[in-house]
Amino acid sequence: MKGIIISGDFENICIRKKSSTFIELGELMIAENNKGKVLLQVFNLAFGSQLSQQQLEFISGLKIEESNDLKLMDQNLRNYNLAFAKSLLFIENDVARACKTLPGFFSEVREVRSEDLKFLSKPENALCLGDLRSGSQVLDFPLFVDGKKVFSHHVLISGTTGRGKSVLMNNILWGVLWDDYCGLLVLDPHDEYYGKAKFGLKNHPNARRKLVYYSQNNVPIGERTLKINIKLLKPKHFQGVVYWSDAQSQALQSYYKEHKEEWIESIVLEKPLQVSFHEATLSVLKRIILNLLNLSVVENKIQCKGVFDLTVGETTIKDITNDLKNKKTVIINTNNFNSQVELLIGSIISHELFSESKENNDTTISIVLEEAPRVLGKSVLEKGNNIFATIAREGRKFNIGLTAITQLPSLIPREILANLNTKILLGTELKQERQALIESAAQDLSKDDRNIASLDKGEAIITSTFTKFAIPVKIPFFSEEMKKEEKINKNFEEMT
Amino acid sequence: MKFAHMADCHLGGWREPKLKELNNKSFCYVIDYCVKEKIDFVLIAGDLFNTALPDMESLQVCIKQLKKLKDNNIPVYFIAGSHDFSPSGKTMLSIIEDAGLGFNVAKGEVVENKLKLKFTIDEKTKVKITGIIGKRGGLDVQYYQELLREDLEKEEGYKIFMFHCALNEFKPKGFENIEGMNVSYFPKFFDYYAGGHVHVLQKNSLEAYPNIIYPGPVFPNSFSELEKLKHGSFAMVENNEVKHIPVKFHETLSYRIDCDNKSVEQVKQELKEITNTDLSDCIVTIKLKGTLSSGKPSDINFTEIMNNLLEKKAFVVLKNTSQLQSKDFEEIKIKSENVEDVESAVIKEHLDQQAFGQEFTQKIMQALSTEKQEGEKSADFEKRVIEDVEKMINN
């Protein structure tokens, strides 16, 4: 027994703590009544005393100034701790439903046990997000969500630097590689998931079958060099990447209309247009395209120095979308690119993916976006819409979702934030950021501000339309010891 | 140093007698060209033959030409391709090697569960050549996955790596569904990567991989290739300068008729108009596509039309009506024209119902799809198939 309920109301149940026990913020507890169990979560702690404030001050003075050995008679009866909890769920015969009742007055409160949580059964397409946590105590109870549902309805991973966003993402990607329920596109600006020089997703037993890694340079053995043929580019791919003036935008469209897939070459080589545009407009257009695509013109011939190429990479985008539809995880190392090129690559793939998903959306696909406000931020969207915002708004109809990672969720418009139906909250110090999360959460987190602020490294709260309550979890460390490699049979016949 | 690089000769591939002969003629032309140019050696990057055990006629042409090269002191280095490879190792390529008419450079040994390739050194030029065979369904990827690269990359001198597979980075548009391999599987720092399998003419390079060359087929191997490529080709390399040399005996004229919402009479009229062109000595391909507004494809008398075209002195006329349909049959959709793709898709679809994997299934199917060869006795044929399958099961 941890304590007993002594007062309060539905949202604020006051528990007197038993002196010999320990209660923490965020801790899950069970209070029983004659019908079933009420799952409670502590959101605040306070001191309680039978003595008046004046008496307490006097006694403390005696202890400091006169005798340190001074002890109160029946100390545990006179001074104690109070815990304030909210009702999360009512559990009756292992079935959980919204709580609409109070636990009994003076009813005992105890710690939560695995058998209380049988209602958290393993769903179809189970994706493990960590172990259930009660306060800072990790329970031997892995928490699963339905990955297919969660990914198609968008995910937000939020937390301050160093709180475990990357570890969580690594665990999620590792978990997804075990199953065949979704494709994930990861634009990885820090090249941190594949594990080029350390343990990473490349070490997953299913990596050869299910992981595809693209990089521009120093491509690991067996992985793919990222090359995109410039013929695959369309004007719409630049939306949200370059902010064209009206004249530039019209010139761009005219080039595309007249020169079809050779429109980029035509701009760069200054081929004539039937519609006339101001020389300066075309010149700016050419300069932007040359810089962005890392092209140059020598003796009226285009030279390609970067990812975008004239001859190779004709099937790259189709190959990526096909892999995603085949439920693979595609990681694109964007480490060497500036932010604009990275967004352009993401935009090209996302546009094509979205178009294809409108035709056929059998497979759930999620696009993992690091530093999401770069494309979903209020200031960015004020300048014009982009494909990522479109996917955030409409994607779930077509089974395509976003997994947005950020430490500044408040920069994302409320309307989009509310569309991200699963939020994984890691420690967030800034009040403004916590507020944005609380206001857009799937469950009522109005009393959890302190709880979120106090989340330690690796501790998270999952709030989702697909969970019955905001679930506290501990994200396991991502290491080689935890993920053992599988041996692969080898066969060299016919070559020896 | 001067050498020729060819691939995908597919000798014996065409059933149409004139095209079969033309295929052989193209091969002979390349060899004669090599002799005339007094080159140092010839590379054949897979699929010399269309099957592991080719017909006598193609074999005769091939052996005669290879003998010509030998007589002129021009060595031939080859690897098996996805078509002329056999799981039992009993292929015409091994006989060619045993007869001293060529060297199979796809040789290696297993070192600590890894594949270590050996170099074959050309005596005259000291060029070091090695390579990996091609197998159907991308089954050759395992060799690359377990390849020991360090020694290959450190080896000094002019090095050539022969391969027979599609490379993802270079796949042309329309080849999205072809199983490919990533370039990074190749050992780095070779001077020349001699490719085959994809019937395209390409000259590419990537960081640490210069001169990745596809020479194109010596002669187009299908209707669509005739449409696209028009003629055969090979690569000639002189002092590391690569040139694609065309192999052309006839003009190829390709016609595509969009039959959507057209009546049989309208289509007939369009076909008739082809005869107004000068077709003398030309290969003519006609592709009809779409849904007829009335009538059935069988209402078009193709025999008569083709005879008319032949009367106009066309060398050969080929038609393709696989995408032509009448309204009654609109619901039938052809997903793939390629039998191998259909097989692969079916295997993949039923993989979870099988006790064994895709690789094994494909190997078994490949072994069982072998045909009885000319002159081969039924008992020998049966024995060969059983041996092939047994070998696979025991492995």
Side-chain angles (χ1 to χ4, degrees):
Chain A
M1 200 243 298
K2 287 245 174 182
I4 54 168
I5 292 168
I6 54 166
S7 65
D9 57 36
F10 184 76
E11 289 185 321
N12 191 356
I13 294 166
C14 184
I15 300 160
R16 177 174 166 154
K17 184 180 89 76
K18 192 170 189 275
S19 61
S20 57
T21 61
F22 181 74
I23 294 181
E24 288 178 292
L25 277 182
E27 188 163 339
L28 297 172
M29 297 196 293
I30 293 284
E32 294 186 46
N33 65 19
N34 52 358
K35 276 200 140 188
K37 304 170 196 171
V38 179
L39 181 64
L40 303 167
Q41 188 176 33
V42 176
F43 63 84
N44 201 2
L45 295 166
F47 291 107
S49 180
Q50 292 296 305
L51 306 172
S52 69
Q53 185 63 23
Q54 207 173 6
Q55 284 170 320
L56 287 170
E57 285 169 15
F58 178 73
I59 294 164
S60 59
L62 283 176
K63 203 168 166 64
I64 297 166
E65 309 297 343
E66 303 289 331
S67 166
N68 202 27
D69 296 336
L70 187 72
K71 280 183 181 167
L72 275 173
M73 189 186 287
D74 299 329
Q75 186 164 240
N76 293 337
L77 291 178
R78 289 167 203 271
N79 288 335
Y80 41 85
N81 286 158
L82 295 171
F84 298 91
K86 59 176 180 176
S87 307
L88 295 176
L89 290 170
F90 187 73
I91 308 162
E92 191 177 3
N93 300 327
D94 296 332
V95 177
R97 55 182 160 85
C99 187
K100 292 176 184 174
T101 180
L102 278 173
F105 203 81
F106 277 155
S107 59
E108 289 186 2
V109 175
R110 61 167 172 83
E111 73 282 352
V112 74
R113 297 174 199 138
S114 296
E115 61 262 29
D116 300 320
L117 302 165
K118 281 181 187 165
F119 65 91
L120 289 173
S121 55
K122 198 173 173 180
E124 206 183 337
N125 309 311
L127 172 68
C128 182
L129 292 177
D131 293 315
L132 193 72
R133 179 176 56 80
S134 179
S136 57
Q137 193 201 340
V138 182
L139 307 178
D140 185 19
F141 195 96
L143 177 83
F144 296 96
V145 289
D146 186 325
K148 196 172 160 74
K149 283 184 188 164
V150 161
F151 282 124
S152 61
H153 285 67
H154 313 301
V155 181
L156 177 82
I157 297 175
S158 156
T160 314
T161 306
R163 292 301 177 99
K165 293 194 294 295
S166 297
V167 173
L168 170 65
M169 205 56 226
N170 259 317
N171 278 312
I172 288 176
L173 295 171
W174 185 276
V176 167
L177 284 175
W178 287 119
D179 284 302
D180 282 311
Y181 57 79
C182 74
L184 288 182
L185 171 68
V186 186
L187 298 168
D188 186 0
H190 310 298
D191 198 14
E192 60 188 326
Y193 299 122
Y194 177 77
K196 226 183 226 177
K198 56 170 187 173
F199 181 79
L201 297 178
K202 69 168 191 306
N203 302 96
H204 195 286
N206 288 343
R208 277 186 180 166
R209 187 173 66 82
K210 291 210 62 200
L211 182 71
V212 186
Y213 176 76
Y214 283 81
S215 184
Q216 188 192 3
N217 310 109
N218 302 320
V219 184
I221 291 166
E223 304 302 351
R224 184 147 168 193
T225 309
L226 182 63
K227 288 279 177 191
I228 299 172
N229 198 288
I230 58 173
K231 287 190 176 75
L232 302 176
L233 291 172
K234 294 170 189 163
K236 65 179 181 183
H237 296 154
F238 291 85
Q239 275 173 14
V241 179
V242 181
Y243 298 100
W244 310 105
S245 67
D246 285 348
Q248 288 162 359
S249 186
Q250 285 161 18
L252 215 65
Q253 291 295 345
S254 297
Y255 267 111
Y256 186 60
K257 206 172 160 189
E258 250 180 67
H259 296 273
K260 305 278 183 309
E261 58 178 23
E262 279 165 12
W263 69 288
I264 298 261
E265 287 169 77
S266 304
I267 292 173
V268 171
L269 297 176
E270 298 175 20
K271 289 188 181 168
L273 275 177
Q274 283 172 358
V275 190
S276 63
F277 285 93
H278 196 281
E279 206 178 301
T281 305
L282 300 180
S283 151
V284 174
L285 214 59
K286 176 180 171 179
R287 198 177 62 230
I288 292 173
I289 297 268
L290 284 175
N291 280 337
L292 187 57
L293 305 184
N294 203 358
L295 308 174
S296 60
V297 181
V298 179
E299 292 172 355
N300 213 33
K301 281 189 177 166
I302 299 173
Q303 291 189 343
C304 309
K305 299 172 196 160
V307 169
F308 298 96
D309 202 286
L310 264 180
T311 53
V312 304
E314 283 185 61
T315 63
T316 305
I317 303 302
K318 191 72 191 160
D319 288 343
I320 291 173
T321 57
N322 279 347
D323 281 337
L324 291 169
K325 282 179 182 166
N326 288 326
K327 297 160 186 175
K328 293 186 182 179
T329 296
V330 178
I331 297 178
I332 298 181
N333 170 18
T334 56
N335 194 18
N336 290 328
F337 308 138
N338 66 41
S339 184
Q340 229 181 357
V341 175
E342 184 196 359
L343 292 182
L344 178 61
I345 294 168
S347 172
I348 299 167
I349 303 167
S350 304
H351 264 288
E352 297 311 310
L353 207 53
F354 192 51
S355 304
E356 288 180 23
S357 294
K358 279 180 171 175
E359 300 292 319
N360 175 359
N361 52 26
D362 290 347
T363 308
T364 298
I365 294 167
S366 182
I367 301 168
V368 180
L369 288 172
E370 296 270 350
E371 293 157 43
R374 285 184 303 163
V375 284
L376 297 177
K378 286 171 199 160
S379 58
V380 175
L381 295 174
E382 273 164 14
K383 291 183 200 167
N385 193 26
N386 63 51
I387 183 65
F388 303 105
T390 307
I391 292 175
R393 291 189 190 101
E394 302 172 32
R396 67 194 161 97
K397 282 188 278 184
F398 307 108
N399 224 355
I400 172 166
L402 296 178
T403 298
I405 305 171
T406 181
Q407 42 182 318
L408 300 169
S410 67
L411 297 182
I412 299 173
R414 201 173 161 170
E415 168 219 355
I416 290 184
L417 215 48
N419 263 322
L420 309 176
N421 283 320
T422 298
K423 295 185 180 69
I424 305 178
L425 319 180
L426 291 118
T428 304
E429 278 100 6
L430 294 172
K431 174 91 179 161
Q432 189 187 350
E433 305 308 324
R434 293 200 301 271
Q435 205 52 39
L437 295 167
I438 289 166
E439 284 170 6
S440 61
Q443 280 90 15
D444 178 14
L445 298 183
S446 55
K447 293 198 177 300
D448 284 270
D449 186 52
R450 211 165 280 145
N451 199 356
I452 299 168
S454 70
L455 289 173
D456 210 347
K457 203 172 179 175
E459 291 179 352
I461 294 171
I462 297 159
T463 164
S464 169
T465 44
F466 304 108
T467 59
K468 290 193 183 284
F469 66 102
I471 305 174
V473 294
K474 172 77 180 177
I475 298 153
F477 194 59
F478 184 79
S479 70
E480 192 168 1
E481 294 74 41
M482 300 190 74
K483 326 269 180 190
K484 286 180 182 169
E485 266 194 87
E486 205 175 71
K487 283 186 180 174
I488 295 159
N489 293 326
K490 296 167 187 173
N491 177 7
F492 300 105
E493 60 161 328
E494 297 116 16
M495 281 297 297
T496 52
Chain B
M1 181 180 55
K2 198 173 180 181
F3 64 89
H5 163 203
M6 65 171 125
D8 302 293
C9 307
H10 290 278
L11 296 176
W14 281 98
R15 284 190 186 167
E16 208 291 327
K18 279 188 173 176
L19 292 174
K20 186 176 183 177
E21 197 190 322
L22 197 52
N23 194 2
N24 290 340
K25 192 174 166 185
S26 300
F27 177 70
C28 294
Y29 172 83
V30 179
I31 302 296
D32 292 343
Y33 189 100
C34 294
V35 172
K36 195 176 125 205
E37 289 289 315
K38 293 181 181 157
I39 64 166
D40 293 308
F41 57 87
V42 173
L43 305 174
I44 304 176
D47 287 355
L48 172 59
F49 298 108
N50 199 51
T51 56
L53 292 171
D55 64 277
M56 292 303 285
E57 193 188 329
S58 308
L59 192 58
Q60 198 177 6
V61 171
C62 179
I63 298 294
K64 202 173 154 191
Q65 290 305 109
L66 294 181
K67 174 78 169 43
K68 202 183 277 180
L69 287 174
K70 189 177 168 67
D71 292 344
N72 283 279
N73 201 22
I74 300 171
V76 176
Y77 302 102
F78 63 78
I79 55 170
S82 47
H83 278 77
D84 48 17
F85 156 83
S86 162
S88 67
K90 287 180 184 173
T91 70
M92 203 39 73
L93 295 178
S94 50
I95 294 171
I96 287 173
E97 189 174 29
D98 291 346
L101 295 175
F103 301 92
N104 181 358
V105 298
K107 294 265 168 73
E109 58 182 328
V110 175
V111 177
E112 290 170 1
N113 221 13
K114 292 268 177 187
L115 178 64
K116 185 178 180 180
L117 287 180
K118 292 173 186 168
F119 279 109
T120 301
I121 301 172
D122 179 63
E123 269 184 31
K124 214 189 305 174
T125 59
K126 305 297 172 209
V127 167
K128 295 162 185 174
I129 310 166
T130 188
I132 288 182
I133 59 170
K135 287 166 86 173
R136 284 186 194 202
L139 298 178
D140 44 347
V141 71
Q142 199 194 12
Y143 300 137
Y144 289 93
Q145 283 169 348
E146 304 305 335
L147 182 64
L148 283 171
R149 289 170 180 76
E150 208 182 328
D151 288 350
L152 294 174
E153 289 172 355
K154 275 185 187 165
E155 186 76 31
E156 303 262 315
Y158 193 95
K159 295 179 289 183
I160 296 174
F161 183 80
M162 297 178 73
F163 65 96
H164 188 87
C165 60
L167 293 170
N168 288 326
E169 286 86 345
F170 307 138
K171 277 192 299 189
K173 208 175 169 182
F175 283 62
E176 289 86 354
N177 295 327
I178 285 187
E179 196 89 36
M181 184 129 56
N182 294 333
V183 174
S184 63
Y185 269 130
F186 286 178
K188 293 176 184 170
F189 314 124
F190 274 61
D191 297 276
Y192 190 90
Y193 294 83
H197 188 54
V198 184
H199 296 191
V200 291
L201 285 75
Q202 275 188 353
K203 181 182 166 186
N204 287 311
S205 53
L206 279 179
E207 190 192 24
Y209 305 95
N211 288 329
I212 304 178
I213 310 294
Y214 283 107
V218 164
F219 182 70
N221 194 36
S222 65
F223 182 95
S224 59
E225 280 177 28
L226 270 171
E227 272 188 316
K228 218 180 288 171
L229 301 170
K230 309 287 183 199
H231 54 76
S233 61
F234 68 102
M236 186 59 86
V237 187
E238 189 169 7
N239 300 326
N240 229 16
E241 277 270 314
V242 186
K243 269 186 199 165
H244 281 99
I245 313 282
V247 182
K248 187 176 175 183
F249 295 102
H250 302 271
E251 283 293 329
T252 303
L253 299 176
S254 298
Y255 297 91
R256 285 191 167 212
I257 299 176
D258 182 359
C259 303
D260 261 342
N261 300 316
K262 285 178 188 164
S263 66
V264 167
E265 286 311 311
Q266 281 173 302
V267 174
K268 275 184 186 171
Q269 186 55 37
E270 283 191 40
L271 284 165
K272 206 177 169 187
E273 279 165 20
I274 297 176
T275 52
N276 297 333
T277 321
D278 178 15
L279 305 174
S280 314
D281 209 28
C282 290
I283 298 170
V284 180
T285 68
I286 306 167
K287 183 163 186 160
L288 293 99
K289 204 177 162 185
T291 308
L292 292 165
S293 60
S294 63
K296 300 192 291 285
S298 57
D299 295 339
I300 304 168
N301 187 345
F302 285 109
T303 316
E304 189 190 322
I305 290 160
M306 287 170 82
N307 283 338
N308 287 343
L309 295 171
L310 288 170
E311 271 173 28
K312 287 276 175 182
K313 306 277 183 220
F315 175 72
V316 70
V317 184
L318 301 173
K319 68 156 173 62
N320 183 328
T321 54
S322 63
Q323 288 174 40
L324 176 67
Q325 51 195 348
S326 61
K327 279 202 167 162
D328 303 343
F329 297 102
E330 257 183 312
E331 72 278 8
I332 298 170
K333 282 182 185 167
I334 297 161
K335 276 191 179 171
S336 172
E337 290 178 41
N338 184 328
V339 177
E340 287 161 30
D341 288 350
V342 174
E343 281 177 3
S344 276
V346 172
I347 295 170
K348 268 185 192 167
E349 216 166 276
H350 295 91
L351 212 55
D352 53 349
Q353 296 168 28
Q354 295 177 158
F356 28 78
Q358 182 175 5
E359 187 179 343
F360 184 78
T361 313
Q362 274 178 325
K363 273 183 174 181
I364 288 276
M365 283 178 62
Q366 202 178 324
L368 294 175
S369 67
T370 185
E371 285 175 12
K372 188 171 167 248
Q373 301 304 314
E374 273 182 31
E376 192 177 22
K377 287 179 185 168
S378 296
D380 291 343
F381 172 54
E382 202 179 307
K383 195 179 162 200
R384 178 164 63 85
V385 173
I386 291 170
E387 271 177 17
D388 279 357
V389 174
E390 264 178 0
K391 193 176 173 195
M392 271 179 276
I393 291 169
N394 294 334
N395 276 332

